[in-house]
């Protein structure tokens, strides 16, 4: 994710960030990073090694992989609030990988929503054409498209600073920056949000004839998915556009550099919510996860029992014959 100047400010601007906001930002980032990596790591393990290879497991595995890398690179955005000590290569690599995983995560959410919509509205077609091979091809296409969308954001990033500190900032002119802002807003928020909303609304309309319990659960999931995506990503894009207009407004600039980093954390929070909203509500996933946890504990306990048995059997026992031979 390219946060432009929201998380990497010039030295004179950095002095205006209140210490309590920075402390909260660091704590929130650490929590999001740990929870995101643990949650998505569990999804990667279960969908990649414990579940049967299906279309849904392909979606969830790729989404978890993107979200895992996304939250793992949050540590760099925690560091760049102060400065960037890693050089040109890591500056560009961090921008590329973060934006890549952002686009991949958003595109995969859109693909999952469309897939569920097709399964609900075109049951016969989905049964005949929805295959694991096609899901893998679509996943590869999504990663390739995310890579293409991410290249410009890495191209125009470079370290900039003076004797006091160095920052990984955007190096393009105003026109280039505005084009990339608009492109990211449309491709990473507006268009996916419209697709996700339309897909889940369609699912809700089609499932309104189902039993009340299942109907209420479906509604809760739909509302949670739409609200989570909207509330997590909208503030981030709004503050990017506010940051673009800060040079002529000192008061607005102070607001952006004070609250802007928190919107970055909020955007990363969506990658922690994805495993809960899209995977942990799946009965099959919960069953496989419980089985995996039980197997881990069972294996550990079994190993302890085997070790204790071996240690007991390894104790030498003196026979009467041995004692008699010594006296002779």
């Amino acid at each position: 994710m390219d946060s432009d100047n929201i998380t990497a400010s010039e030295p004179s601007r950095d002095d205006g960030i209140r210490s309590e906001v920075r402390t909260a930002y660091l704590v929130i980032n650490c929590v999001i990073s740990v929870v995101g990596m643990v949650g998505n790591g569990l999804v990667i393990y279960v969908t990649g090694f414990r579940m049967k290879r299906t279309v849904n497991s392909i979606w969830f595995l790729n989404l978890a992989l993107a979200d895992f890398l996304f939250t793992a690179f949050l540590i760099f955005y925690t560091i760049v609030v102060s400065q960037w000590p890693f050089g040109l290569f890591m500056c560009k690599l961090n921008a590329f990988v973060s934006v890549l995983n952002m686009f991949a995560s958003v595109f995969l959410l859109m693909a999952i929503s469309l897939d569920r919509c097709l399964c609900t509205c075109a049951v016969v077609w989905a049964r005949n054409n929805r295959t694991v091979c096609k899901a893998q091809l679509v996943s590869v296409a999504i990663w390739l498209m995310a890579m293409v969308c991410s290249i410009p954001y890495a191209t125009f990033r470079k370290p900039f600073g003076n004797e006091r500190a160095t920052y990984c900032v955007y190096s393009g002119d105003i026109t280039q920056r505005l084009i990339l802002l608009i492109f990211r807003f449309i491709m990473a928020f507006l268009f996916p949000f419209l697709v996700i909303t339309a897909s889940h609304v369609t699912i809700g309309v089609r499932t309104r004839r189902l039993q009340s319990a299942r109907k209420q659960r479906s509604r809760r999931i739909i509302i949670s998915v739409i609200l989570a995506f909207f509330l997590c990503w909208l503030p981030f894009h709004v503050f990017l556009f506010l940051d673009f207009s800060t040079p002529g407004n000192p008061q607005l600039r102070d607001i952006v550099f004070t609250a802007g980093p928190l919107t970055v954390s909020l955007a990363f929070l969506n990658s922690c919510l994805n495993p809960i909203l899209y995977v942990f509500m799946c009965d099959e996933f919960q069953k496989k996860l419980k089985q995996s946890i039980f197997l881990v504990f069972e294996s550990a306990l079994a190993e302890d029992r085997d070790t204790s048995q071996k240690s007991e059997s390894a104790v030498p026992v003196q026979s009467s014959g041995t004692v008699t031979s010594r006296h002779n």
Side-chain angles (χ1 to χ4, degrees), residues 180-200:
L180 291 180
L181 281 177
I182 296 174
F183 175 78
R184 177 171 47 195
F185 175 74
I186 294 175
M187 294 299 296
F189 178 77
L190 182 60
F191 180 66
F193 176 72
L194 293 176
V195 172
I196 291 171
T197 302
S199 300
H200 285 86

Side-chain angles (χ1 to χ4, degrees), residues 34-89:
V34 172
V35 174
M37 287 191 293
V38 171
N40 288 289
L42 285 174
V43 176
I44 292 173
Y45 169 72
V46 174
T47 57
F49 301 99
R50 303 298 303 173
M51 293 182 65
K52 180 182 178 181
R53 191 60 55 89
T54 63
V55 174
N56 284 335
S57 68
I58 295 295
W59 298 139
F60 295 146
L61 176 60
N62 282 273
L63 178 63
L65 180 60
D67 288 336
F68 180 87
L69 295 175
F70 199 34
T71 53
F73 270 73
L74 181 58
I75 186 63
F76 291 103
Y77 286 94
T78 305
I79 295 174
V80 298
V81 172
S82 302
Q83 60 177 333
W84 182 262
F86 302 111
L88 175 63
F89 176 77

Side-chain angles (χ1 to χ4, degrees), residues 129-278:
N129 297 277
R130 189 171 173 266
T131 63
V132 173
C133 181
K134 291 181 179 179
Q136 292 174 335
L137 292 176
V138 172
S139 298
V140 172
I142 287 175
W143 282 101
L144 291 176
M145 186 167 58
M147 290 178 63
V148 173
C149 294
S150 306
I151 291 175
Y153 297 93
T155 303
F156 296 106
R157 297 286 288 192
K158 69 177 183 179
F160 175 82
N162 51 28
E163 299 82 10
R164 296 174 57 186
T166 302
Y167 304 89
C168 181
V169 297
Y170 183 79
S171 61
D173 56 34
I174 295 179
T175 303
Q176 292 173 336
R177 183 181 171 194
L178 180 60
I179 292 174
L180 291 180
L181 281 177
I182 296 174
F183 175 78
R184 177 171 47 195
F185 175 74
I186 294 175
M187 294 299 296
F189 178 77
L190 182 60
F191 180 66
F193 176 72
L194 293 176
V195 172
I196 291 171
T197 302
S199 300
H200 285 86
V201 169
T202 304
I203 294 172
V205 172
R206 293 284 295 182
T207 57
R208 62 185 176 182
R209 297 179 181 178
L210 298 177
Q211 298 178 357
S212 58
R214 184 177 176 185
K215 178 180 177 181
Q216 292 177 359
R217 185 187 179 205
S218 177
R219 284 181 176 177
R220 288 196 300 267
I221 296 175
I222 290 170
I223 294 174
S224 299
V225 167
I226 296 174
L227 286 180
F229 186 86
F230 181 81
L231 295 177
C232 288
W233 280 108
L234 181 62
F236 171 77
H237 291 282
V238 169
F239 267 77
L240 286 182
F241 281 104
L242 290 177
D243 178 55
F244 183 79
S245 59
T246 53
N249 193 331
Q251 294 180 347
L252 184 60
R253 180 191 62 189
D254 294 337
I255 295 175
V256 170
F257 283 100
T258 300
L262 296 179
T263 65
V264 178
S265 299
L266 189 61
F268 276 94
L269 179 63
N270 188 245
S271 294
C272 296
L273 298 177
N274 285 338
I276 300 174
L277 297 177
Y278 285 89

